[in-house]
Amino acid sequence: MAKKTRRGQKQCPKCNAWVKGTRAKACPKCNYQFNGKQRVTPVVEAASAEKPPKAADTVTISQVKAVAQMVNTVGGFDRFNELLGVIREVGGLRRMKDLLEAMSAAQVGTTAV
Ligand SMILES: [Zn+2]
């Protein structure tokens, strides 16, 4: 059986239950005694666990919802990717915004007539 690992957890070899805390002495399910052979690296784990998430890395539900709605609006992921390609082609978001403004201005002009 392949031994799997999970962050901050270890698997009981007797009942296969995941035990929280790599330094646990016994399995809470079957009371299996871990012999302590495993090398634990608490310093590395504590450091990575305490690292606060950067704001840019954090994906919020409202962001996901906004993008999902945009994907729906343009007609699916393929179309959305096309759109992103066009934005890149015209030279970025700011340029795209200028073009859109010019377009909407032209549209207002034609419909007003
Ligand atoms: Zn167990």
Side-chain angles (χ1 to χ4, degrees), residues 17-58:
W18 285 98
V19 182
K20 217 176 175 186
T22 50
R23 275 172 290 180
K25 290 257 160 51
C27 172
K29 253 189 175 178
C30 67
N31 208 31
Y32 173 87
Q33 299 290 313
F34 295 104
N35 55 21
K37 261 185 193 171
Q38 301 102 320
R39 286 284 292 268
V40 189
T41 52
V43 177
V44 173
E45 272 197 68
S48 58
E50 277 165 28
K51 204 172 98 181
K54 275 184 257 165
D57 291 344
T58 314

Side-chain angles (χ1 to χ4, degrees), residues 42-90:
V43 177
V44 173
E45 272 197 68
S48 58
E50 277 165 28
K51 204 172 98 181
K54 275 184 257 165
D57 291 344
T58 314
V59 174
T60 65
I61 291 168
S62 59
Q63 282 174 336
V64 171
K65 272 183 186 167
V67 172
Q69 194 171 359
M70 182 59 82
V71 169
N72 270 336
T73 305
V74 298
F77 275 107
D78 289 345
R79 298 289 290 274
F80 193 67
N81 273 327
E82 252 174 67
L83 188 73
L84 290 177
V86 171
I87 292 172
R88 225 173 288 135
E89 244 171 68
V90 299

